[in-house]
Amino acid sequence: MKKKVSVIAISLFALFASDLMPAHAEEIPVINDAGPLAAIEFKGPGERIHGADISRWQHPNDKLINFTKMRSAGINFVMIKGSDTRDDADALARKWLKIDRDAAHAAGIYTGFYHYAILPNVPTKTLVIKDAEAQAQKVLWRIASIGGLTEKDLPIALDIENKCVKLRTSKTCAKYASSSTVTTWSETFLRVIKEKTGRMPILYSYSNFLEGSMKRSTELAQYPLWLAQYAVDPSVPTNQPGMKNGGCYVHSWTSANCKAQWTMWQYSSCGIAPKYGVPGSRLDLNVFKGTPDAFAALRKGSWAPEPSDLMPIGEPSVMTIKSVTFSNTNRPLVVDVDVMRPTLAPVVTGSVKFVQDPANPMKVSLKQSALRATSGSWTLSVAGIPAGTWNGQIVYYDNSDTHATSAQPITIVVEQALTTPKPKPTKKPVVKPKTDGCKGQIKN
């Protein structure tokens, strides 16, 4: 039987306001746009404009990419992972974004940026829209931090290929977003990016996802499509992404003759990385559909951020503990938490944790996990709390320093369980047969 825990309310705003740095303490970064625009070459398969896309995986052991060699190998553009919904992956994207962009521009390579999206686990359309707006804000802050967009930059791309909104402890998916959720979220995210930057953003996905996980949408169809399909050779003039053996894929970008209206085609995840100056063994490769003029049109216009567009530093946060439940020493403490910005929009980054009272420590090791439901909303689970009455705090923290720390005190009363849980039998690890992830792929 679950028991309610007493929660002592404190002021809505952060406890640590005295430690905050002023918002917009840094000046707008200088746009790095020195030198002429690079020439466009048709050195890709099928005499198309050739490109690549990169992330932290192309920096094993923190090795740098040789973009001069990449350019010499015929690459005209590179899509750089600029942000991620997940804070750990986002920190790694942030680490390499400016380094890679500056080096690519210096080598005469055009750059674009993509955001890897994880969808929210929320019950209403209003909350879906709020999460999309929050994730778009993260992207805008990130691109503002490198000076905005110039004519050496392609538009921002949304990488939408995952509709799992809840994982089991085994890391398998326990719940998927509906096609309405995927569509509404994508429409909202892209609309915010378009309105702010003045550029038509790009949508990245693959045909099965577009057909099976999204609704056909005339609003989405206006955006350039970056389509992934492997094992189809782009050097064959009649080949294109979105092909399948029987029938045709049906999604927002499918024309009356069953052809996908694509702008960029990711045709391989098995490019020969060293050939392009990239550490490691594999590299995603792409081709652009169209002429140099079409490529230039995609880069037309610039976005220079105003001071208000820059990511804040130490912005106050507002915490609300929605519910707290537990049973006994056999059950974890479960706390549902919302954290908001002063505008009442959800915080964009960060996580939550339980901190013990140093005056009355439990003297045990606790196992904590914070499961993100949507932007600014987490379910915190704390296992291993011994029997007794304990004081502590639920703390919101943000390693990116965008939002300030905030906390709420909590008193926990835990009863001793009548029985001790039996340990689960140790399972022998299953040895999976090795598979060739590049089987059938184009290895340029």
Side-chain angles (χ1 to χ4, degrees):
M1 179 179 179
K2 293 184 177 180
K3 295 185 178 179
K4 292 290 179 180
V5 173
S6 61
V7 180
I8 303 173
I10 63 171
S11 171
L12 289 176
F13 285 94
L15 292 174
F16 310 102
S18 60
D19 296 329
L20 301 183
M21 294 176 64
H24 317 309
E26 297 179 359
E27 296 183 357
I28 300 174
V30 176
I31 296 175
N32 179 12
D33 197 25
L37 296 175
I40 299 299
E41 301 171 325
F42 292 95
K43 291 189 175 181
E47 296 186 349
R48 295 184 173 105
I49 299 170
H50 209 194
D53 59 270
I54 59 173
S55 67
R56 57 106 166 183
W57 296 109
Q58 278 64 57
H59 293 282
N61 300 315
D62 284 351
K63 292 181 180 178
L64 297 175
I65 295 172
N66 185 339
F67 285 98
T68 301
K69 185 174 183 179
M70 182 182 285
R71 171 66 177 172
S72 297
I75 295 295
N76 268 143
F77 69 93
V78 61
M79 302 298 291
I80 303 169
K81 183 175 183 180
S83 51
D84 193 298
T85 305
R86 303 159 296 183
D87 273 13
D88 52 350
D90 186 66
L92 291 167
R94 184 172 67 247
K95 174 181 176 179
W96 292 106
L97 173 59
K98 190 176 188 303
I99 294 171
D100 285 341
R101 188 227 201 178
D102 289 351
H105 284 184
I109 296 175
Y110 296 92
T111 56
F113 315 100
Y114 69 93
H115 172 73
Y116 184 85
I118 300 293
L119 296 169
N121 182 17
V122 290
T124 67
K125 182 177 180 179
T126 298
L127 292 174
V128 169
I129 290 171
K130 277 191 173 183
D131 182 80
E133 291 172 342
Q135 291 200 43
Q137 181 63 75
K138 173 187 278 190
V139 174
L140 292 169
W141 279 341
R142 185 62 43 78
I143 301 305
S145 74
I146 58 171
L149 300 172
T150 75
E151 289 194 358
K152 292 184 178 181
D153 296 311
L154 293 164
I156 296 163
L158 167 62
D159 180 347
I160 184 80
E161 56 180 290
N162 181 357
K163 63 176 181 178
C164 181
V165 297
K166 185 178 181 181
L167 289 171
R168 298 184 181 92
T169 54
S170 62
K171 302 302 181 182
T172 58
C173 191
K175 182 180 178 182
Y176 293 96
S178 67
S179 58
S180 294
T181 292
V182 179
T183 304
T184 297
W185 194 98
S186 301
E187 288 175 341
T188 304
F189 178 95
L190 292 166
R191 191 185 310 129
V192 171
I193 298 297
K194 177 186 174 185
E195 289 173 355
K196 187 62 181 178
T197 65
R199 294 277 197 98
M200 190 69 80
I202 299 168
L203 187 140
Y204 168 90
S205 196
Y206 57 97
S207 293
N208 282 343
F209 188 90
L210 296 173
E211 184 180 46
S213 302
M214 303 179 76
K215 290 188 173 183
R216 296 180 69 183
S217 163
T218 53
E219 180 175 350
L220 288 179
Q222 70 177 305
Y223 299 106
L225 178 63
W226 177 12
L227 192 58
Q229 185 169 12
Y230 309 147
V232 176
D233 191 349
S235 65
V236 178
T238 55
N239 282 349
Q240 60 177 324
M243 298 174 66
K244 68 179 182 180
N245 293 331
C248 70
Y249 287 108
V250 179
H251 52 60
S252 301
W253 294 265
T254 302
S255 66
N257 61 358
C258 286
K259 290 185 177 179
Q261 301 299 302
W262 59 278
T263 298
M264 289 162 51
W265 173 8
Q266 187 186 72
Y267 68 88
S268 178
S269 66
C270 295
I272 305 168
K275 173 181 174 181
Y276 301 97
V278 175
S281 58
R282 293 172 58 170
L283 176 68
D284 292 347
L285 295 174
N286 303 269
V287 290
F288 178 83
K289 179 183 181 181
T291 64
D293 286 344
F295 187 79
L298 204 60
R299 300 179 286 103
K300 187 176 181 181
S302 61
W303 173 55
E306 299 291 332
S308 59
D309 295 320
L310 296 180
M311 180 180 286
I313 299 173
E315 179 185 71
S317 59
V318 179
M319 178 186 287
T320 301
I321 295 180
K322 296 187 295 183
S323 66
V324 184
T325 56
F326 70 92
S327 293
N328 50 43
T329 53
N330 285 350
R331 299 284 184 181
L333 168 71
V334 178
V335 187
D336 288 319
V337 179
D338 282 347
V339 185
M340 299 293 178
R341 303 174 62 195
T343 61
L344 299 185
V347 292
V348 176
T349 55
S351 189
V352 294
K353 62 184 177 181
F354 170 71
V355 176
Q356 300 181 41
D357 181 358
N360 184 26
M362 298 178 186
K363 298 180 181 179
V364 295
S365 178
L366 302 178
K367 184 178 181 181
Q368 302 195 40
S369 65
L371 182 64
R372 175 189 181 275
T374 184
S375 295
S377 182
W378 294 269
T379 296
L380 175 65
S381 175
V382 186
I385 299 175
T389 300
W390 309 101
N391 294 321
Q393 289 186 322
I394 304 299
V395 176
Y396 163 74
Y397 64 97
D398 181 9
N399 290 332
S400 74
D401 295 326
T402 303
H403 309 292
T405 301
S406 58
Q408 290 246 17
I410 185 172
T411 298
I412 308 164
V413 181
V414 179
E415 295 179 354
Q416 180 64 48
L418 297 177
T419 59
T420 302
K422 295 180 180 179
K424 294 180 180 179
T426 303
K427 293 183 179 180
K428 293 183 179 180
V430 178
V431 180
K432 295 181 180 180
K434 291 184 179 181
T435 57
D436 181 4
C438 289
K439 184 177 181 181
Q441 287 206 42
I442 309 301
K443 300 177 183 177
N444 281 348

